[in-house]
């Protein structure tokens, strides 16, 4: 199964700009019930990612005093990404090898077209074994 097949059933990815605060990022994560946000620049190109796990680590390090910190100062800039034509098995291998749970999917124009989570892959695999 290809990544683009999984993305068809998913809503558009939620993004945030680097100048927004961690509090705003947390609000988006909670509101949309998601585990990561891709940070985009003014041209809407992905420049980083921040996850709920990243924010938990910051909360512990700064004793919760990090709400006004900027997303751009705390994002991961060397993010792994995939393309719509990737096979989900290959994406799963990368996620396991790198210890990541969310991977942005970037099209040929360097635009974000989705985010694939480990949960998405497990669900697809389960549905292929036990339909319905």
């Amino acid at each position: 199964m290809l990544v683009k097949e999984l993305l068809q059933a998913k809503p558009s990815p939620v993004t945030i700009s680097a100048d927004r605060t961690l509090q705003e990022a947390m609000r988006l994560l909670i509101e949309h019930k998601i585990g990561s946000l891709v940070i985009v620049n003014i041209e809407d190109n992905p420049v980083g990612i921040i996850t709920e796990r990243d924010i938990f680590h910051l909360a512990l390090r700064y004793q919760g005093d990090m709400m006004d910190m900027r997303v751009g100062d705390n994002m991961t800039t060397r993010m792994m990404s995939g393309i719509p034509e990737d096979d989900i098995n290959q994406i799963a291998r990368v996620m396991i090898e790198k210890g990541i749970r969310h991977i942005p999917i970037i099209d040929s124009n360097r635009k974000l077209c989705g985010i694939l989570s480990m949960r998405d892959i497990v669900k697809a695999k389960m549905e292929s074994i036990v339909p319905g």
Side-chain angles (χ1 to χ4, degrees):
M1 175 180 274
L2 299 180
V3 167
K4 63 184 173 185
E5 296 172 59
L6 284 184
L7 293 182
Q8 290 174 352
K10 293 189 68 163
S12 296
V14 180
T15 62
I16 192 167
S17 62
D19 64 337
R20 309 312 299 181
T21 65
L22 289 176
Q23 183 173 3
E24 291 170 292
M26 290 168 57
R27 187 174 295 121
L28 284 172
L29 290 168
I30 292 166
E31 178 182 324
H32 294 278
K33 298 178 182 168
I34 54 177
S36 66
L37 292 167
V38 173
I39 295 84
V40 293
N41 62 17
I42 196 155
E43 290 89 26
D44 211 31
N45 295 324
V47 295
I49 190 168
I50 193 161
T51 68
E52 57 194 358
R53 185 176 288 176
D54 296 331
I55 294 172
F56 289 147
H57 284 258
L58 290 166
L60 181 62
R61 183 181 318 142
Y62 294 104
Q63 305 286 313
D65 188 25
M66 47 24 122
M67 296 301 228
D68 293 327
M69 290 181 178
R70 299 284 164 221
V71 169
D73 296 331
N74 296 285
M75 67 183 178
T76 300
T77 55
R78 293 182 57 191
M79 63 182 177
M80 301 297 300
S81 63
I83 60 172
E85 293 74 24
D86 281 336
D87 184 275
I88 65 169
N89 293 323
Q90 178 58 32
I91 294 290
R93 274 191 285 284
V94 169
M95 293 171 93
I96 290 167
E97 289 171 6
K98 301 295 182 183
I100 56 178
R101 296 180 296 159
H102 305 92
I103 193 160
I105 306 302
I106 313 295
D107 68 18
S108 59
N109 297 317
R110 296 286 309 144
K111 300 292 182 196
L112 179 68
C113 55
I115 301 173
L116 205 59
S117 70
M118 187 58 80
R119 177 181 291 137
D120 297 329
I121 293 172
V122 169
K123 182 179 177 190
K125 290 292 194 180
M126 290 301 299
E127 287 174 354
S128 72
I129 297 168
V130 184

